[in-house]
């Protein structure tokens, strides 16, 4: 803006105001801005629009150095390593490669907490597949799963994965498999089923090369946000990298039975080549023998950087049948791409809850038990040595068995319960007077605030089961109080 | 270089040629270059030396953007978050914060494989500690451990950690603890004891603020390389961040008993202040009451941005005794900083071995069993359905129990053994004819190539024990062949 200096992303702004998608040329943007006299929200006129690179650039090495960029996604590194990776998998499809890492985008206006960041964390899987076999051996495990889909025409419906693939809404079983698997994962970490949907990219929204693309979205305070993008990228990436680098990026697929194929084989006629080409005749004869192109009235061969036209009077044509053992294909890539920061945010928001305990409002983070960073808090009722010693011993034992355990003796027991409710700790163990008499402690469930008494010796096995399931504590002891 | 264009790092080059350490000024470098007529290895003269920033720079945001840099270490992010972190630990020392991540240094000449990279991976622990309590509650677990030290005078010796601390070679028990812990960790991942040493930074080598600094070094094909730096950074980082940001970065430490301290308290004499200062007298009286500085013949107070000199005729001095409950201190920081890429390289080099098996040379990677990326390979002797089915069933069972397992039916059994020896897989299971009769398989040990027969049902418990210990396979079955 000429007046207030605010910077807009022109294509987004025009889309918002005019509901049109533009191609990305400066001219197109300029035309729309002028024709419709679009202005800044402050009323000021816009300066000329400019291209803005969403990648951060830097210089590498001494002196002026070479130009370099921070990666905007992890995927391309995997594509570039394709040859090495396909060797690792001994050239057999399908294979998948994952990478987790920081990526960087020079967003014009980062905002909404962790929803739009200039540096964020991605986990991407690049799944390389034979284009004629876009399925997955475990698709059947998910085919009965019902999901909420929003298709590219904005129709929303609940449908079985199998039906969505059969009706052609989801392009293939492989995408269907990843959609089912992604849903399962999101549920496992605590994204709510009724706040989750899979939305198909519209035709003008998806990359021009993409065959089909689905976003796993979650409903949050910021509206529906994309957590995962699942895209069938076709052969675009490998083809482009191959074109630019000159390196072959394909897989040799062996036929079950060698195929027979008719082929024209040329036999040079030396008695005619000799007089005409003299000292070059022998080399030319060899080229003719190995010639593999079309044959019209003449063929063109290359010798010492020179193209030579050879009329068909210089060779005989023989029809031969050859065995072909396989073919080279460029794999297609299906890519589930996870935005880790957004997933963490969504899990926190979907887990946060308030309820009433003992007549007072309580804040509680209902994290999945296995996911909680502190799974068990061990609390001596009083800060006396006999309580503290038992509590610290239990803490050490639980830690050694692999349970994330914290010891805490600061503040009243009620205040400590609230503290651990707030950070999502599913279980609190309290060492009280009775502990010193009979070796039992209380075990408190975060979600219900119910307690049982349990023997110290039974804690490890009970907690292992509780943390890895949704069972109730009453399986392991009788209600206390 | 003016002739060949090669770029040198001047301070390193001068150190190499002249065995002198320079301060980092351009002038000092120039003087040495001219005085000694130092030249490029090609014989050419050097251009004028320039400062070179080892940090990668970029621009953030739209337009010209703001200047930004890629982090050259993970540590500073932790220091900047000090206030939040100390709140998290409820203001109690000691506490430690770890971070793992990619860091970036614009090295002038990256070389030696992964030893000097422009982007590499660090794992750093910043341990915040009361400067008067530089010890660790678990130091005693390591005090009898013998380590190889090279002190700052280049003396190399084997010594008990406890003795090294007592003799003042290692500055304090806390550094001693981290040295012991680091040694234990490096041994656990497979760095060889006889190729490991801890080298103290010389006085002119360590950062000016560092109290003591030790590098864990490993002997490799590239010579001794630093894997871990363990530094007592004192209070330098927090002090500097605090000075630059104006934010207090300290911890309030409560005394066990409140201390009594004598203090001069000033009582304003209104009968003298009134006539002199009129309407300001009341405000000045309040300032005098709260005055907390030294008292000579007069004091200076500040009122409405004006400094006012108040002679001692305007107040009485009273000696009072006050209770002081604690004090604010700036914690010291001890930092073990791990270079992950170099550790991975060293483990690979130290694990790589050749021996003779069946009269032929074998390449074998003697990775620690628990560390191997593939812990068990399951191999059907023949690619017939009855062998394959059993093998795949075993593979699935082992995977589900948390053992990294791979199935492989490609190539002769001998070739497959070699393949898994080469990638460090400690155990191979082979399904052979006898398996189909009696439900036993062979279990082969990578290091000895010995085999036993074992029941399929006993595999999980045997493998769990084998992978997590150094036990021999013969504990679990009788020798086969």
């Amino acid at each position: 803006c000429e007046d207030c200096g605010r910077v807009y992303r022109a294509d987004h702004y025009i889309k918002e105001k005019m509901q049109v998608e533009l191609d990305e040329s400066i001219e197109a943007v300029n035309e729309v801005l002028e024709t419709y006299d679009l202005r800044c929200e402050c009323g000021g006129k816009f300066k000329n629009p400019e291209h803005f690179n969403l990648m951060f650039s830097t210089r590498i090495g001494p002196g002026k150095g070479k130009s370099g960029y921070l990666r905007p996604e992890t995927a391309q590194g995997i594509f570039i390593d394709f040859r090495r990776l396909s060797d690792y998998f001994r050239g057999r499809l399908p294979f998948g490669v994952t990478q987790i890492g920081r990526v960087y985008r020079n967003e014009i206006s980062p905002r909404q907490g962790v929803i739009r960041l200039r540096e964020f964390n991605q986990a991407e899987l690049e799944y390389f597949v034979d284009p004629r076999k876009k399925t997955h051996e475990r698709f059947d495990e998910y085919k009965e799963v019902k999901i909420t889909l929003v298709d590219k025409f904005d129709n929303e419906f609940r449908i079985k994965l199998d039906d969505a693939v059969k009706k052609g809404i989801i392009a293939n079983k492989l995408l269907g498999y990843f959609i089912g698997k992604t849903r399962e994962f999101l549920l496992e970490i605590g994204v709510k089923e009724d706040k989750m949907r899979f939305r198909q990219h519209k035709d003008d929204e998806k990359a021009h090369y993409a065959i089909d693309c689905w976003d796993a979205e979650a409903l949050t305070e910021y509206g529906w946000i994309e957590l995962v993008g699942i895209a069938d990228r076709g052969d675009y990436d490998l083809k482009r990298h191959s074109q630019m680098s000159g390196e072959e990026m394909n897989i040799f697929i062996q036929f079950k039975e060698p195929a027979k194929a008719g082929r024209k084989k040329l036999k040079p006629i030396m008695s005619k080549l000799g007089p005409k080409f003299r000292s070059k005749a022998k080399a030319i004869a060899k080229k003719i023998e190995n010639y593999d192109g079309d044959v019209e009235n003449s063929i063109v061969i290359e010798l010492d950087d020179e193209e030579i036209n050879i009329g068909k009077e210089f060779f005989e044509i023989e029809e031969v049948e050859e065995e072909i053992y396989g073919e080279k294909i460029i794999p297609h890539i299906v890519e589930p791409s996870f935005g880790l920061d957004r997933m963490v945010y969504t899990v926190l928001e979907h887990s946060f809850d308030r309820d009433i305990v003992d007549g007072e409002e309580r804040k509680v983070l209902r994290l999945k038990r296995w996911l909680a960073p502190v799974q068990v808090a061990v609390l001596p009722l009083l800060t006396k040595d006999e309580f503290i010693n038992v509590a610290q011993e239990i803490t050490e034992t639980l830690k050694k068995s692999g349970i994330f355990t914290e010891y805490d003796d600061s503040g009243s027991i009620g205040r400590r319960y609230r503290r651990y409710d707030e950070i999502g700790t599913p279980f609190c163990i309290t060492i009280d007077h009775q502990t010193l008499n009979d070796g039992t402690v209380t075990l408190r469930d975060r979600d219900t605030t119910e307690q049982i008494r349990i023997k110290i010796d039974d804690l490890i096995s009970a907690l292992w089961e509780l943390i890895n399931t949704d069972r109730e504590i009453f399986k392991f002891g009788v209600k206390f109080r």
Side-chain angles (χ1 to χ4, degrees), chain A:
Chain A
C1 169
E2 278 185 355
D3 292 358
C4 72
R6 190 172 155 188
V7 180
Y8 290 85
R9 186 159 158 184
D11 56 340
H12 284 186
Y13 191 69
I14 288 172
K15 186 176 169 190
E16 192 185 320
K17 294 287 172 193
M18 312 293 298
Q19 282 78 47
V20 291
E21 290 275 348
L22 289 186
D23 63 36
E24 287 168 1
S25 75
I26 294 278
E27 292 71 32
V29 170
N30 247 334
E31 201 187 316
V32 175
L33 289 180
E34 282 171 20
T35 311
Y36 296 96
D37 192 28
L38 286 181
R39 282 162 181 260
C40 175
E41 282 174 6
C42 83
K45 286 194 82 165
F46 286 121
K47 288 184 197 167
N48 285 333
E50 281 174 21
H51 270 296
F52 181 69
N53 194 336
L54 278 178
M55 289 195 289
F56 287 101
S57 71
T58 189
R59 310 291 304 178
I60 301 169
K64 282 191 180 166
K66 289 178 189 165
S67 180
Y69 296 91
L70 299 187
R71 62 178 179 190
E73 59 174 2
T74 63
Q76 300 302 326
I78 296 174
F79 301 151
I80 286 172
D81 281 341
F82 173 76
R83 288 284 291 270
R84 176 176 294 199
L85 294 166
S86 76
D87 283 351
Y88 176 82
F89 289 101
R90 294 184 229 146
R92 278 186 285 187
L93 292 176
F95 63 82
V97 180
T98 60
Q99 190 169 196
I100 298 180
R102 191 68 62 90
V103 298
Y104 304 84
R105 294 183 193 172
N106 199 359
E107 294 289 348
I108 290 175
S109 46
R111 64 210 147 87
Q112 297 178 322
V114 300
I115 306 303
R116 191 167 302 283
L117 292 166
R118 286 196 173 122
E119 41 179 330
F120 57 102
N121 297 283
Q122 260 191 347
E124 293 190 311
L125 161 64
E126 308 301 326
Y127 194 80
F128 298 87
V129 64
D130 184 331
R132 296 156 304 192
K133 293 180 186 166
K134 285 196 179 166
T135 182
H136 193 283
E137 55 179 11
R138 289 188 178 164
F139 173 75
D140 282 356
E141 291 176 22
Y142 298 98
K143 68 179 188 179
E144 295 298 322
V145 166
K146 274 205 157 190
I147 45 168
T148 304
L149 294 187
V150 179
D151 71 11
K152 60 184 173 183
F153 310 108
D154 276 337
N155 300 317
E156 180 168 335
F157 41 87
R158 297 273 298 168
I159 188 170
K160 278 190 201 167
L161 261 179
D162 201 28
D163 293 339
V165 173
K166 276 189 184 140
K167 289 184 180 170
I169 302 167
I170 296 172
N172 53 59
K173 280 188 178 175
L174 186 53
L175 279 171
Y177 168 77
F178 283 124
I179 288 173
K181 186 91 184 161
T182 298
R183 170 185 167 277
E184 183 182 63
F185 174 75
L186 293 177
L187 288 175
E188 238 169 66
I189 62 173
V191 176
K192 291 264 187 290
E193 167 98 73
D194 58 350
K195 294 181 173 179
M196 188 200 305
R197 69 181 189 186
F198 287 83
R199 191 181 66 76
Q200 188 171 35
H201 280 207
K202 298 192 200 330
D203 287 337
D204 58 2
E205 176 186 9
K206 71 177 187 227
H208 64 90
Y209 53 82
I211 291 170
D212 192 11
C213 190
W214 291 85
D215 287 348
E217 295 187 330
L219 186 60
T220 69
E221 294 285 316
Y222 298 114
W224 285 99
I225 60 172
E226 175 195 350
L227 299 185
V228 186
I230 304 169
D232 183 338
R233 298 170 75 120
D235 62 6
Y236 179 77
D237 301 284
L238 291 182
K239 224 175 197 166
R240 291 289 289 171
H241 279 296
S242 180
Q243 281 167 5
M244 294 301 174
S245 66
E247 191 171 10
E248 280 203 359
M249 291 187 169
N250 51 38
I251 294 270
F252 182 79
I253 298 198
Q254 204 170 321
F255 294 143
K256 286 205 170 164
E257 303 283 325
K260 307 257 187 228
R263 189 169 90 78
K264 290 197 170 91
K265 197 170 153 60
L266 308 189
K267 286 183 73 173
I269 304 171
M270 278 311 284
S271 58
K272 293 195 175 157
L273 284 168
K276 169 95 178 171
F277 294 103
R278 312 247 163 191
S279 64
K280 288 183 182 168
K282 218 167 174 181
I284 289 173
K286 197 153 195 184
K287 289 271 177 188
I288 292 173
E289 263 174 19
N290 292 327
Y291 184 77
D292 198 22
D294 291 333
V295 181
E296 296 287 332
N297 284 325
S298 64
I299 63 171
V300 176
I301 62 164
E302 204 173 296
L303 191 70
D304 300 335
D305 286 339
E306 195 189 344
E307 289 192 346
I308 304 173
N309 209 51
I310 310 281
K312 68 176 174 181
E313 64 273 23
F314 293 102
F315 51 81
E316 287 166 3
I317 300 173
E318 200 180 357
E319 290 282 340
V320 294
E321 207 171 53
E322 282 192 340
E323 290 206 323
I324 302 175
Y325 297 96
E327 61 183 328
K328 287 178 180 173
I329 61 143
I330 298 180
H332 279 203
I333 294 171
V334 175
E335 173 199 88
S337 170
F338 289 68
L340 302 185
D341 311 270
R342 289 180 174 193
M343 288 199 304
V344 170
Y345 171 78
T346 303
V347 167
L348 289 175
E349 193 193 300
H350 286 194
S351 303
F352 183 73
D353 196 13
R354 294 166 199 265
D355 58 6
I356 304 291
V357 170
D358 300 338
E360 276 183 34
E361 189 190 76
R362 173 180 78 140
K363 289 173 191 160
V364 55
L365 200 59
R366 301 194 192 277
L367 288 179
K368 293 281 177 179
R369 293 170 177 177
W370 69 271
L371 192 66
V374 180
Q375 293 170 328
V376 179
V378 183
L379 317 170
L381 185 63
L382 303 174
T383 51
K384 289 182 178 170
D385 281 352
E386 57 266 41
F387 292 83
I388 290 175
N389 292 341
V390 178
Q392 288 186 333
E393 208 173 291
I394 293 174
T395 307
E396 286 311 307
T397 314
L398 294 182
K399 271 187 182 171
K400 270 183 197 145
S401 85
I403 297 171
F404 301 140
T405 312
E406 216 171 86
Y407 167 87
D408 192 348
D409 61 16
S410 124
S412 76
I413 192 72
R415 203 175 139 197
R416 277 180 275 167
Y417 284 152
R418 290 296 169 282
R419 187 184 291 151
Y420 287 98
D421 289 343
E422 239 176 69
I423 66 166
T425 300
F427 301 106
C428 287
I429 291 168
T430 302
I431 288 77
D432 58 10
H433 294 92
Q434 196 177 328
T435 308
L436 310 178
N437 294 328
D438 66 3
T440 65
V441 293
T442 70
L443 180 69
R444 175 183 177 273
D445 176 62
R446 173 197 66 202
D447 292 330
T448 61
T449 75
E450 302 270 22
Q451 298 184 48
I452 58 166
R453 287 210 79 88
I454 181 171
K455 280 193 184 155
I456 292 175
D457 292 342
D458 296 338
L459 275 174
I460 289 185
S461 65
L463 284 169
W464 265 103
E465 192 171 332
L466 285 168
I467 287 168
N468 293 298
T469 63
D470 288 328
R471 303 228 168 86
E472 292 193 355
I473 51 172
F474 299 116
K475 187 186 162 187
F476 302 96
V478 288
K479 188 165 172 170
F480 178 63
R481 272 178 210 170

